Amino acid sequence: MRKFQLRTYRLRTEEAATAYLPHWVLHVKSLELFGVETHAFFSAPSARRNVVALISFGEQADPEVVTREYMQTDAFKQDMSGFDVAQIEGVDTLLLIPGDGSPLT
C-alpha cells in the first residue's frame, strides 16, 4: 500500500501562495520520476497563505529521504524557476494511512 502524505506549505503572503500554486502543476511530472504520485493540490480559502498537496510514496519509500533527494535535482530547481523559495516559511507534513475500504486503497 502506498504511503500518503498531506503537505501544507505556509507562505509569507497570500500573493506568494497564489504565485506558488502553479508550480505544483510542474511538480506533478517531476515527482513521478521519484515514484511520488500527486493526487491533488489546493488553495485554502480559510488559510489564504497556505498551499496544500496530497501526495503518495511507494510502500518501501522513506518520504523524508525521497523529498530531500528530489529537492536536489535539476528538475525541482527548474520547477521552482521564477519563484522565491524564501517565501515559503515552512512545510507541515502529515503521514496518512487509508482506512479499510477507502477509495485510495
Side-chain angles (χ1 to χ4, degrees):
M1 179 183 308
R2 295 187 64 80
K3 297 176 184 176
F4 289 83
Q5 189 179 67
L6 188 67
R7 300 179 63 84
T8 301
Y9 296 81
R10 292 176 281 107
L11 290 106
R12 293 190 190 282
T13 65
E14 290 178 26
E15 294 78 19
T18 299
Y20 180 54
L21 192 61
H23 290 269
W24 266 94
V25 174
L26 304 171
H27 288 334
V28 171
K29 289 188 187 262
S30 60
L31 281 167
E32 284 178 355
L33 300 172
F34 283 78
V36 178
E37 185 176 345
T38 303
H39 299 277
F41 48 89
F42 311 87
S43 59
S46 63
R48 296 183 188 268
R49 292 175 34 205
N50 290 353
V51 170
V52 179
L54 177 62
I55 61 176
S56 66
F57 300 83
E59 188 172 348
Q60 302 303 317
D62 180 330
E64 289 183 29
V65 170
V66 172
T67 299
R68 188 170 44 251
E69 289 176 355
Y70 168 67
M71 291 178 67
Q72 299 302 313
T73 67
D74 289 337
F76 172 76
K77 292 171 188 167
Q78 186 176 358
D79 287 357
M80 295 302 288
S81 178
F83 183 78
D84 178 8
V85 294
Q87 292 298 309
I88 300 174
E89 292 183 329
V91 181
D92 298 316
T93 62
L94 181 64
L95 190 61
L96 302 169
I97 301 169
D100 290 339
S102 170
L104 294 176
T105 57

